[in-house]
Amino acid sequence: MANKSITLTDDLYRYMTSVSLREPDLLRQLRAETSIDPMAGMQIAPEQGQFMALLVRLMGAAKALEVGVFTGYSALCVALALPAHGKLTACDISEAWTSIAKRYWERAGVAHKIDLRLAPAIDTLDALLAAGHAGSYDFAFIDADKGNYDGYYERTLRLLRSGGLIIIDNVLWDGRVADDRVTDADTRAIRALNEKIHQDPRVTISLIPVADGLTLALKG
Ligand SMILES: C[S@@+](CC[C@H](N)C(=O)[O-])C[C@H]1O[C@@H](n2cnc3c(N)ncnc32)[C@H](O)[C@@H]1O
């Protein structure tokens, strides 16, 4: 019996997904369309989307936030899991990538649940706080530029209700966080936030080695 997380070989990954992944056709099509983009590696893994959808349902979340939309895969997973009256505020700066996202949200019949804000996400989060949304969000997913991760974390924490959940993506950063020879700004920003959250008494945490590493931080 192992007492640490298992190493996923390609064969084991294939097995895992073959017995657990339930990816709707539309999400599979979005993945295929995104795969031709040179930045396709930014898209979350399908098993991660399924896991996030499960958490949204488990919590009964109705008001959700996303920082980093790209072509809309994670937002679509979350929006499909929200109840009929649910809302997702989705932040990005790319008109081109989010135009693909919007097409799929329409086709999935969830476009009415998603409020896309095209602006630097720090500005959008500040605007939400200024508009009185502090303490009102149930669920948030942070998956944008790493240099702003701390700023996103602090603002998102204020926007969440007590008992709300933040998921932070890429916290293992393809292993670079554990390699002392890697000292670029993005890696340093992720390391700094990981260390800060480890000691942060405002949240209950779990860092799980799904995909590129996710930190789950429960407020309060
Ligand atoms: C890793 S991708 C998001 C992947 C997405 N969650 C998915 O499921 O495919 C990061 C996104 O963050 C966006 N981004 C980068 N800097 C940003 C900023 N300052 N404000 C808002 N979005 C930003 C990029 O345009 C890109 O679409």
Side-chain angles (χ1 to χ4, degrees):
M1 287 293 281
N3 60 3
K4 72 176 182 66
S5 300
I6 196 166
T7 301
L8 276 186
T9 61
D10 288 347
D11 281 347
L12 192 52
Y13 178 77
R14 264 191 297 277
Y15 174 78
M16 178 186 86
T17 51
S18 76
V19 295
S20 67
L21 190 63
R22 298 177 177 178
E23 189 179 36
D25 269 353
L26 205 54
L27 281 165
R28 199 182 305 273
Q29 287 169 34
L30 174 54
R31 226 154 33 88
E33 180 167 347
T34 304
S35 69
I36 58 172
D37 189 299
M39 299 302 285
M42 293 204 300
Q43 190 171 55
I44 64 162
E47 66 275 16
Q48 177 180 344
Q50 185 171 320
F51 176 61
M52 287 169 45
L54 183 147
L55 291 178
V56 166
R57 283 182 186 264
L58 182 69
M59 297 178 69
K63 191 170 175 183
L65 181 64
E66 173 165 289
V67 181
V69 173
F70 189 39
T71 58
Y73 192 98
S74 51
L76 185 49
C77 293
V78 169
L80 287 167
L82 288 171
H85 67 281
K87 291 282 178 223
L88 170 67
T89 310
C91 310
D92 208 287
I93 46 174
S94 168
E95 182 94 52
W97 283 329
T98 57
S99 67
I100 298 172
K102 284 195 282 188
R103 220 173 350 100
Y104 281 85
W105 299 342
E106 287 287 348
R107 286 176 63 194
V110 296
H112 63 286
K113 293 185 186 175
I114 305 176
D115 173 14
L116 176 65
R117 307 277 183 107
L118 275 184
I122 291 283
D123 296 350
T124 299
L125 300 178
D126 282 341
L128 291 171
L129 287 165
H133 290 274
S136 70
Y137 281 85
D138 303 303
F139 175 91
F141 179 49
I142 298 177
D143 184 20
D145 51 317
K146 310 310 168 198
N148 277 318
Y149 256 31
D150 188 67
Y152 297 148
Y153 174 68
E154 286 299 332
R155 287 164 177 78
T156 300
L157 202 51
R158 289 173 61 199
L159 286 163
L160 280 196
R161 65 169 167 86
S162 177
L165 180 73
I166 307 180
I167 300 182
I168 304 163
D169 201 14
N170 306 112
V171 296
L172 296 179
W173 205 220
D174 206 19
R176 293 190 289 276
V177 283
D179 182 346
D180 292 342
R181 293 164 302 180
V182 184
T183 57
D184 64 275
D186 284 351
T187 307
R188 283 189 279 117
I190 295 171
R191 278 188 197 124
L193 184 59
N194 286 343
E195 287 158 24
K196 170 176 159 171
I197 293 177
H198 189 200
Q199 306 300 334
D200 190 342
R202 297 172 295 176
V203 288
T204 300
I205 62 165
S206 181
L207 193 166
I208 56 167
V210 168
D212 197 22
L214 306 177
T215 290
L216 275 53
L218 186 76
K219 179 177 173 179

